[in-house]
Amino acid sequence: MRITENTRTKIFHLNMLALLFGLLIVSLSVKGQDMGADERKSMDKTNYAGLKGAGKGVSGPGSNLSPEKMQWWEDQKFGMFIHWGLYAIPATGEWTMFNKKIPAEEYAKLAGQFNPQHFSGAEWAKVAKEAGMKYMVMVARHHDGFAMWNSPASYAHFNSWETAAHHDFVKEYTHACRKAGLKVGIYYSPLDWRFPGYFNPKGLPENAALLKKQTYGQVEELMKNYGKVDILWYDGGWLAHKGGDADAAWFWEPLKLNGMVRSYQPDIVINPRSGMVGDFETNEGNAPVKGPIIPIPWEKCLNLNGSSWGYNTAQRLMSVKSLVDMLVNTVDRGGNMLLNVGPDPDGVIPPTHVARLKEVGDWLTKNGESIYGTRPGPFQPVDEVYGATYKGNMIYIHLLKLPAGSNEVKLPPIAQRVVSCKVLNGQKVNFKQDKAGIIFSIDPRLLDSVVTTIALKIKR
């Protein structure tokens, strides 16, 4: 039989108790090549112990999706984040303009050099598909203010249509996603460093009003002109690089903003960085995910290249082992993983990045059954040893490594009877089940060099 509703309820309450006690400790320690103090604060404001910031922000009737409408998003598990813009030219990260204190007029000259000749949304989608990703999120506009689409609402015509590229990159990206069968996500930053009023909205109200007008106009363009958009990923909702996104709700009026969003895209999934309570929570950075299952929708976003999110000539790629470990550690705790790449100034994802993503895709080709469409449990993860997911009458154990000095793995008891145990798509594994729990032993020669998946079939 299937895992019972009573069992699920017990798991939920145990998980919530663990969450409230903050047993999940994630330290966001990634340091980009030229990361300044404010850039680090931007990342650190999503630091959490048990996602302690969950639920912060304003909310109202209809502002959030129902759990039923969130199911598809929770099924996806793995997506591609894409940071690409003018900052690819200096190749020192997406915060280059602010960190290097480049005046807006000087930085704007990069738009005259930005004319990618080999950009291909179809190629991006192909790379994502081969990596086993199910959705994509493209940065449509980062904090530097340069819009990657035909944006009449863009202040001072600072967009890719009205400058050298004369190209609507968002249009081609969204079309390529849908054609490849991938869900479409768009990142948008209300923050724009070109506006002094962002840093002093009460002291410079007229300039701040221009910024807010641009935000509303551009978000409407993105929601109105590009067909069905599945995910809206805000960033930079905080004001003057201080406090959190929820602290700036008085300025952005996110219920009004996202009410407009849902008038065009009623079922869009929205993250929490506009000052409104999000449909899912976010955690940013490459630090390990540890602790118990998190019983709310959440997403881990991190960067394939540890040097920066935007294109960087300094390369510090995560290994395939660390990537798959992060993926299973996230999924085993109920989250999705959004993995970032930074295409070069010509719009090309670096070949070394493509090759590394393909390695992850190869693992998912063999083990994806244990990832996609699953839910975490019924066993709580044991840090650096194993975690579990389930679907139908199958339980999947992601074995990171065997316990020291043993070939045996001990699991807690469950009410259902296990009828078979094997390496997923491989050989049978000896096991024993009694009132004390489940023990299986595995020949080390059967272990995957990355992460081994053990499939337990339970009686219906």
Side-chain angles (χ1 to χ4, degrees), residues 167-181:
H167 199 104
D168 189 325
F169 296 106
V170 170
K171 182 178 181 179
E172 185 170 336
Y173 155 77
T174 54
H175 175 75
C177 277
R178 294 190 195 98
K179 189 173 181 179

Side-chain angles (χ1 to χ4, degrees), residues 339-362:
L339 181 64
N340 181 73
V341 295
D344 69 17
D346 213 22
V348 176
I349 300 173
T352 53
H353 297 206
V354 174
R356 186 55 44 82
L357 292 172
K358 181 63 167 59
E359 292 178 304
V360 177
D362 290 342

Side-chain angles (χ1 to χ4, degrees), residues 80-87 94 114 119 124 136-151 154 158-161 167-174 184-192 194 214-215 217-223 226 229 231-235 340-341 343:
M80 176 180 280
F81 214 177
I82 302 171
H83 276 67
W84 187 52
L86 298 186
Y87 42 83
E94 70 290 348
F114 190 68
F119 162 75
W124 285 4
M136 300 175 74
V137 178
M138 175 189 172
V139 172
R141 183 174 75 67
H142 206 265
H143 311 331
D144 61 357
F146 186 72
M148 301 289 284
W149 73 97
N150 180 6
S151 176
S154 175
F158 197 43
N159 64 78
S160 61
W161 184 258
H167 199 104
D168 189 325
F169 296 106
V170 170
K171 182 178 181 179
E172 185 170 336
Y173 155 77
T174 54
V184 178
I186 291 178
Y187 165 117
Y188 180 82
S189 170
L191 189 169
D192 189 331
R194 298 179 300 152
Q214 175 184 256
T215 293
Q218 289 191 320
V219 171
E220 183 173 27
E221 290 170 355
L222 292 168
M223 296 299 103
Y226 296 96
V229 180
I231 302 163
L232 176 55
W233 216 103
Y234 287 110
D235 192 21
N340 181 73
V341 295

Side-chain angles (χ1 to χ4, degrees), residues 30-34 92-93 303 305-310 312 314-316:
V30 175
K31 297 177 176 61
Q33 182 185 10
D34 289 316
T92 51
N303 194 14
N305 178 20
S307 296
S308 64
W309 298 78
N312 203 313
Q315 296 289 301
R316 292 195 292 116

